[in-house]
Amino acid sequence: MQGVGSVLVRARGLTKTFGEGHAQARVLDGAGLEVARGEFIAVVGKSGSGKSTLLHLLGGLDRPDSGEIELDGVRIDRLDERGLTAIRRHKIGFVFQAFHLLPELTGVENVLLPARLARDGVEAAPRAKELLERLGLARIARRLPTELSGGEQQRLAIARALINDPALVLADEPTGNLDEESGADVLNLLRRLTDSDRSVVLVTHDRAATSIADRVLRLEGGRLVA
Amino acid sequence: MIPVVRHGLARLRNDRARTALLIVGVTAAAAMVGAAVTVAYALATAFDRSAAAAAMPDVTAQFAQQPLAPVAARVRALVNVRAAAYRIEAKGVDLTAGPRFATAVVDGVRNDGPRGYALTSGRDIRHRDEVVIEEGLARSWHVHLADRLTLGGDPLGVVGLATTPGTVAYPLSRSPRLYVSYDTARRLTGGAAGVNEVLLWLNDPSQVDVTLAQARAASFGLRDLQFVTRSGYRHLIGRAAGLVISLLVAFSAIVLLAAGVMLGASAAAEMQRRREAIGVLRAFGATPSSIAVGYAVESAAVAAPAACVGLVAGAAVVASPLRHLLGILNEITPPALTTFGLLAAAWAAIVLVVAAATWVPAWRAGRERIVDTLRGGDVVGAPKRVPLPALAGFGARLTLARPARAATLVTVLAASTAVVLLMLAIADVLHGLQRNAQTLGTRYQLTVAASDISLAEVREVPGVAAATLRYESDAADSFDLGESFKLVGFAGDVTSYESPPVDSGRRARGIGEAEVGAGLADALDLHAGGTLAAQLPSGREVRFRVVGIVDALRDEGLVAYVRAERLRAAMPAASTEIAIKLAQGASLNDVRNALLGRGVHADKTGGISEDSGLDTSGRASFLRVLAALLRSVAVLDGLVCVYALAQILALIARERRRAVAVIRALGASRAQVFAVFAGAAVLLAALALPIGVGVERAVLGPAVARLAVSYVTLSLKAGSSAILVVAGALAVAAAVAAGWATRTATADAIVAPLRED
Ligand SMILES: Nc1ncnc2c1ncn2[C@@H]1O[C@H](COP(=O)(O)OP(=O)(O)OP(=O)(O)O)[C@@H](O)[C@H]1O
Ligand SMILES: [Mg+2]
């Protein structure tokens, strides 16, 4: 582990183009950012400006057309699928706007899923229990997602993102589908994550979110500006 | 309505993968149906059609040669007879055409009644030097109209080709059948006037029993009298054809069921994905029924050409083997027009089924509340607890989330498993028949007439391991004269020459003991320990103690095997042959030629020695072809299983693409995605296997065994090796299907499904 404040993510010159011919659109055009350990960054921008795309690249869900992404000293833009899988397992925690809990699995099973994928399910069980308690979810751990409120589902999704103890949590409009009160709960939770030296990149439209961030970046014309 | 249909056609163009899957599925199912319809229809109707075309007699009576007048007088005395034809039949007549040689059965035909054979080309006999030959002979010897051949030394010109229903074609039958004028046949039999065969056509064929009883009563003085009835042969053929037909029907029912389930499921999945689009269409004024019709028209537009291609392909594939099979049975292929009509009906049915399979889920989706459909949605409502290891268990839950679909697929897999096991069991039995002389019972390979050569001389021929005298006689049960059977006796040890499997009791050893075929035991209600009282044609009676019931295949099991002593004493004139066993490795043809060199013609028995004669036996090669055919049908059926499994996993992968994307985003490797799908497939296969095995062993096997041959007990229960093979194949199928689903599920970028909100 490096010291507090050292750089966790360094991205430079990212470009990403979708579509072909007339429909072609360059969504990212030389975007770059640095995220320090323990830093909370909010990314804002108009709808369709490429915020989600940026998050997908940082999380190893997609690849840039060009540019570099270094995560914890590893050039993830150069990794093969196997390497990316390992990054997703151990370094990244993703929180989606639509929660994306698996409807077949109970709350605790959803939370444990990434640990099981990392073949760490048994050891992770007490950690899951503790996480659920900390997030006030112990009561609903054995229920199916369809039986839960939006706020409860999103808190479960955050617990799932944390189970493998990732260095970077990426959250794509996690409050977009929630009412004001639940949204505030979720934001608090995310903010507290940085206490333990984790970094958070949050994509949001929410004013409340930008006010608690260390830095706010705006995505415009394919680039990130302060 | 028009915009809805247009929307449907646009969907077809845009979703090429789904359209391709639909085309492949419909084509494959249609091909199977086309094959099944063609074969089943032809087999079900061929005998009646051929019998009608040939004006097959209702009764054929054969007897030792008699002058015509007294026979005709007796026949005239019978009631219910519409027409009669008198013939003289010569057996064992030398036939040569160029370098080829065979011993033929020759019928001398008087122009006194219907023919009883169907001319397939050329014309009937008009002169003494003309001959009509059976098609099988023309086929295998490449003989054509106007060719010449030599029959018993006389040169004859071929004027027609014919088939005779009720017989098996040359070369499967050992002797080709030829028709000549009465005078020619008379010359071949030695010149004496008379007849030895009467063909009878009845006014009321259903009363054939009465006529037979009357004929037996009036037959005093006719020696070696034997009756063959059209209804009896029809029954025999019907049973064999019934076996094939029911197998085909079972198999295509499975395929159709599979196709229907797959289509319905894929349509339902499509609706799930399209709920939002349906909601939008309805929000702008489309009615539920117009939406359903739009979807039905869409799939019918794809199914119509695919079904057409599939049906034609299926019918074409079986056309040649079918013609071959019918040719062997001396039956006529059905008119192309009727077959075409049936295929057209099948086409309409398939298109209708496909349209209905899409119409139903679309109609249901169209009737949901608009606001619900607009919300779209993933599949929910999974059962709560499935105690299985994590990922495979997750896959199992994905499958069980749709219990009805899972149940139908399990049914399809179980049915396929049962049919495959049955095919393998039948193939095993056929293989056994072909390989193991023990099963057929006959353990000698050649016979010669005892009047031509002495036993000692035969034993000196190189390649002969053993020879003994064999007696065969017709007999009737003394208590109930209606039941006639064959009595076969051997000098010395019976069982080293004839040893069909013992069903109950033991082998015959003593002079007064008999092994009785299961058919005869059934007919006379005989058991081990009972008495067989046989009335011989000489009028004498001989009695034997029944010690064993055996599964004899010949004469429908109406046969008894005994020691020769009593038979010889009771009937000095019983036809006597010498049964010859070949030495290990001796060539059947060398021995026959050696005997021919001594002026003796030897007949093949079809009995198979342990390591020789296999390839010279027509029956063995026929059985081999049949076994291979069944095994390939089993493999085909296995492929259907793979397709069904792959289809359902592809469906799951489609329906649950977002779930797959989520677990990939959380760090699942390809192998872990595979584990999810394998879990789903293994669950289905593991449920299907025991059901399929149970159904085959408890229901299908016994039923088909009864249908096939009621006069022997065949075990068609799948053995453990077959079950192991099928279990292994199912595991492979599950792995292949899971691999395929993994490929499709991981081919896309992760983010695309995640964006679908
Ligand atoms: N897989 C894809 N295929 C085609 N186009 C895409 C794809 N992903 C994103 N785009 C396009 O890229 C652009 C940026 O999309 P992105 O989802 O990153 O925007 P966003 O800033 O997250 O918008 P929002 O605030 O609405 O979520 C959009 O125009 C979108 O249509
Ligand atoms: Mg977005």
Side-chain angles (χ1 to χ4, degrees):
Chain A
M1 263 271 173
Q2 290 154 24
V4 178
S6 68
V7 174
L8 176 69
V9 181
R10 183 177 286 126
R12 263 201 298 263
L14 295 178
T15 67
K16 183 78 182 171
T17 308
F18 290 112
E20 280 159 24
H22 282 306
Q24 195 171 44
R26 175 158 286 213
V27 177
L28 296 181
D29 192 8
L33 86 162
E34 283 192 1
V35 184
R37 290 180 194 275
E39 194 177 18
F40 191 114
I41 292 183
V43 175
V44 296
K46 284 193 293 211
S47 184
S49 58
K51 304 183 295 293
S52 297
T53 305
L54 174 71
L55 229 49
H56 292 152
L57 297 185
L58 294 180
L61 299 188
D62 208 352
R63 294 166 187 281
D65 296 338
S66 66
E68 301 169 4
I69 305 171
E70 196 179 299
L71 173 66
D72 207 6
V74 177
R75 281 284 297 273
I76 66 170
D77 53 298
R78 287 182 178 164
L79 289 177
D80 61 0
E81 187 59 31
R82 191 185 293 268
L84 280 180
T85 297
I87 290 290
R88 288 178 212 135
R89 271 185 199 169
H90 302 293
K91 302 278 180 188
I92 307 283
F94 228 105
V95 181
F96 304 96
Q97 174 173 357
F99 325 138
H100 289 326
L101 296 172
L102 298 183
E104 288 82 9
L105 304 182
T106 63
V108 62
E109 285 172 333
N110 264 294
V111 171
L112 271 172
L113 184 61
R116 284 186 174 156
L117 291 172
R119 300 193 175 76
D120 190 24
V122 181
E123 279 172 44
R127 211 159 64 231
K129 194 160 172 262
E130 186 209 309
L131 257 175
L132 287 168
E133 262 161 28
R134 190 144 59 84
L135 272 54
L137 294 168
R139 205 172 35 82
I140 54 155
R142 314 234 153 248
R143 293 215 232 144
L144 291 177
T146 44
E147 303 161 353
L148 303 176
S149 76
E152 287 166 333
Q153 290 191 52
Q154 195 60 299
R155 277 186 285 149
L156 271 179
I158 292 172
R160 179 177 68 180
L162 296 178
I163 188 73
N164 283 347
D165 199 20
L168 178 64
V169 172
L170 302 170
D172 192 352
E173 296 186 47
T175 58
N177 282 348
L178 301 180
D179 61 54
E180 213 167 308
E181 201 176 326
S182 322
D185 280 352
V186 165
L187 285 178
N188 274 329
L189 241 166
L190 290 171
R191 178 69 252 196
R192 288 211 307 271
L193 296 181
T194 56
D195 299 347
S196 49
D197 218 19
R198 244 187 281 274
S199 307
V200 176
V201 176
L202 171 74
V203 165
T204 188
H205 287 295
D206 196 342
R207 283 197 188 287
T210 54
S211 65
I212 60 165
D214 297 332
R215 268 199 294 156
V216 177
L217 299 176
R218 172 171 295 277
L219 190 54
E220 233 173 46
R223 289 163 175 271
L224 280 163
V225 293
Chain B
M1 180 75 86
I2 300 289
V4 174
V5 171
R6 244 199 230 133
H7 179 220
L9 296 180
R11 284 192 300 263
L12 282 183
R13 274 196 306 278
N14 288 336
D15 203 344
R16 297 246 169 80
R18 195 179 85 88
T19 310
L21 216 57
L22 181 66
I23 290 175
V24 170
V26 171
T27 310
M32 189 59 222
V33 171
V37 162
T38 314
V39 174
Y41 172 69
L43 286 188
T45 60
F47 177 73
D48 285 336
R49 214 178 22 250
S50 316
M56 184 181 179
D58 295 303
V59 178
T60 303
Q62 292 185 325
F63 41 84
Q65 193 161 334
Q66 293 281 311
L68 173 61
V71 177
R74 290 204 185 106
V75 168
R76 271 195 301 274
L78 299 176
V79 293
N80 196 21
V81 170
R82 176 165 56 86
Y86 302 88
R87 287 179 175 177
I88 185 163
E89 182 173 279
K91 287 182 174 148
V93 181
D94 287 348
L95 168 71
T96 53
R100 297 171 193 272
F101 170 84
T103 53
V105 173
V106 180
D107 278 324
V109 183
R110 295 155 40 92
N111 289 321
D112 54 359
R115 278 195 309 261
Y117 54 90
L119 281 169
T120 52
S121 63
R123 59 168 176 81
D124 212 351
I125 320 142
R126 283 185 207 138
H127 301 287
R128 286 165 170 235
D129 56 353
E130 293 176 348
V131 62
V132 166
I133 66 171
E134 72 157 281
E135 274 221 329
L137 180 68
R139 254 196 318 266
S140 66
W141 283 17
H142 307 290
V143 178
H144 305 282
L145 292 180
D147 284 356
R148 300 194 74 78
L149 32 82
T150 313
L151 198 56
D154 292 353
L156 298 172
V158 176
V159 293
L161 308 185
T163 61
T164 311
T167 61
V168 178
Y170 184 80
L172 203 62
S173 77
R174 266 183 285 156
S175 302
R177 184 172 287 270
L178 298 91
Y179 297 94
V180 296
S181 70
Y182 176 78
D183 291 337
T184 309
R186 202 180 120 183
R187 213 170 45 239
L188 292 171
T189 50
V195 294
N196 58 11
E197 189 175 67
V198 183
L199 279 48
L200 298 179
W201 288 263
L202 304 184
N203 288 315
D204 179 2
S206 68
Q207 297 294 310
V208 63
D209 290 354
V210 179
T211 309
L212 275 185
Q214 201 191 0
R216 276 208 185 90
S219 68
F220 179 72
L222 286 184
R223 281 195 301 116
D224 298 342
L225 181 62
Q226 266 190 328
F227 294 106
V228 177
T229 63
R230 173 168 165 170
S231 56
Y233 194 79
R234 185 181 196 291
H235 194 61
L236 197 71
I237 283 275
R239 224 158 31 188
L243 169 68
V244 177
I245 291 171
S246 48
L247 276 178
L248 274 172
V249 167
F251 184 47
S252 39
I254 289 166
V255 170
L256 265 188
L257 178 66
V261 170
M262 292 304 128
L263 282 173
S266 111
E270 180 68 5
M271 292 315 135
Q272 196 64 39
R273 296 207 315 135
R274 295 275 160 204
R275 282 177 75 195
E276 215 178 316
I278 290 172
V280 172
L281 283 174
R282 287 200 48 214
F284 289 102
T287 63
S289 62
S290 72
I291 288 170
V293 168
Y295 274 95
V297 167
E298 170 195 345
S299 54
V302 176
C308 190
V309 170
L311 284 168
V312 170
V317 164
V318 294
S320 152
L322 180 64
R323 214 176 313 117
H324 191 69
L325 183 66
L326 292 179
I328 283 175
L329 295 173
N330 274 330
E331 291 178 356
I332 307 169
T333 37
L337 204 63
T338 2
T339 310
F340 182 78
L342 279 172
L343 289 177
W347 177 81
I350 291 173
V351 173
L352 218 67
V353 164
V354 172
T358 10
W359 187 87
V360 172
W363 189 75
R364 282 203 340 227
R367 281 174 55 92
E368 277 182 64
R369 283 174 46 210
I370 296 182
V371 283
D372 287 344
T373 44
L374 275 178
R375 252 196 278 127
D378 210 344
V379 187
V380 290
K384 276 208 164 177
R385 296 276 173 267
V386 181
L388 284 171
L391 285 171
F394 177 59
R397 287 190 206 184
L398 289 183
T399 319
L400 294 177
R402 294 301 191 85
R405 189 195 295 168
T408 344
L409 197 83
V410 167
T411 312
V412 169
L413 290 181
S416 293
T417 305
V419 168
V420 167
L421 284 173
L422 179 67
M423 304 271 176
L424 292 180
I426 295 177
D428 270 354
V429 168
L430 292 178
H431 193 71
L433 286 179
Q434 178 209 120
R435 254 288 148 70
N436 187 357
Q438 190 73 20
T439 325
L440 270 180
T442 304
R443 304 179 83 177
Y444 54 98
Q445 291 80 36
L446 290 171
T447 58
V448 293
S451 54
D452 292 350
I453 188 167
S454 79
L455 200 52
E457 280 177 283
V458 169
R459 286 181 176 143
E460 270 160 24
V461 173
V464 172
T468 193
L469 287 172
R470 177 184 183 281
Y471 302 83
E472 177 165 335
S473 172
D474 291 310
D477 173 40
S478 305
F479 306 121
D480 169 13
L481 285 171
E483 209 50 70
S484 64
F485 55 94
K486 291 269 192 240
L487 209 47
V488 179
F490 289 90
D493 182 18
V494 179
T495 52
S496 69
Y497 283 87
E498 199 75 68
S499 58
V502 176
D503 197 30
S504 65
R506 60 167 174 83
R507 299 243 84 112
R509 286 189 286 266
I511 286 176
E513 294 178 347
E515 288 174 17
V516 173
L520 185 58
D522 270 355
L524 300 181
D525 197 22
L526 288 173
H527 303 280
T531 301
L532 176 70
Q535 180 91 45
L536 298 176
S538 62
R540 300 267 299 273
E541 190 201 79
V542 280
R543 291 190 171 221
F544 297 94
R545 202 157 59 79
V546 178
V547 294
I549 311 295
V550 292
D551 285 337
L553 280 168
R554 59 165 295 186
D555 296 300
E556 300 199 22
L558 292 170
V559 62
Y561 298 106
V562 297
R563 287 277 293 261
E565 286 81 349
R566 287 192 185 170
L567 200 56
R568 195 163 40 194
M571 206 187 138
S575 83
T576 315
E577 290 174 331
I578 296 173
I580 301 171
K581 290 173 80 162
L582 298 188
Q584 290 265 326
S587 148
L588 189 77
N589 286 329
D590 287 353
V591 175
R592 286 185 93 188
N593 286 331
L595 285 164
L596 267 181
R598 290 168 168 75
V600 183
H601 174 76
D603 279 321
K604 288 189 279 184
T605 60
I608 296 157
S609 59
E610 274 71 10
D611 63 345
S612 68
L614 242 178
D615 30 307
T616 49
S617 161
R619 172 153 49 179
S621 61
F622 180 64
L623 293 177
R624 197 158 47 222
V625 169
L626 215 57
L629 192 77
L630 286 169
R631 290 206 172 105
S632 40
V633 171
V635 168
L636 254 181
D637 197 358
L639 289 181
V640 169
C641 284
V642 177
Y643 180 73
L645 266 174
Q647 255 282 34
I648 198 150
L649 294 187
L651 264 179
I652 291 176
R654 260 184 113 68
E655 273 182 355
R656 308 308 310 279
R657 42 195 298 198
R658 198 186 297 153
V660 172
V662 168
I663 63 168
R664 288 177 70 200
L666 298 177
S669 62
R670 238 163 183 281
Q672 287 173 321
V673 175
F674 176 82
V676 169
F677 288 114
V682 165
L683 172 75
L684 292 168
L687 289 173
L689 182 67
I691 299 176
V693 170
V695 165
E696 200 279 337
R697 290 185 61 91
V699 185
L700 211 52
V704 171
R706 239 190 333 276
L707 191 71
V709 264
S710 56
Y711 49 91
V712 292
T713 47
L714 270 184
S715 173
L716 288 181
K717 288 185 182 168
S720 51
S721 60
I723 293 174
L724 271 180
V725 165
V726 169
L730 264 178
V732 171
V736 168
W740 190 61
T742 308
R743 256 184 71 100
T744 42
T746 56
D748 301 341
I750 300 177
V751 290
L754 294 178
R755 289 172 44 86
E756 286 175 356
D757 277 315

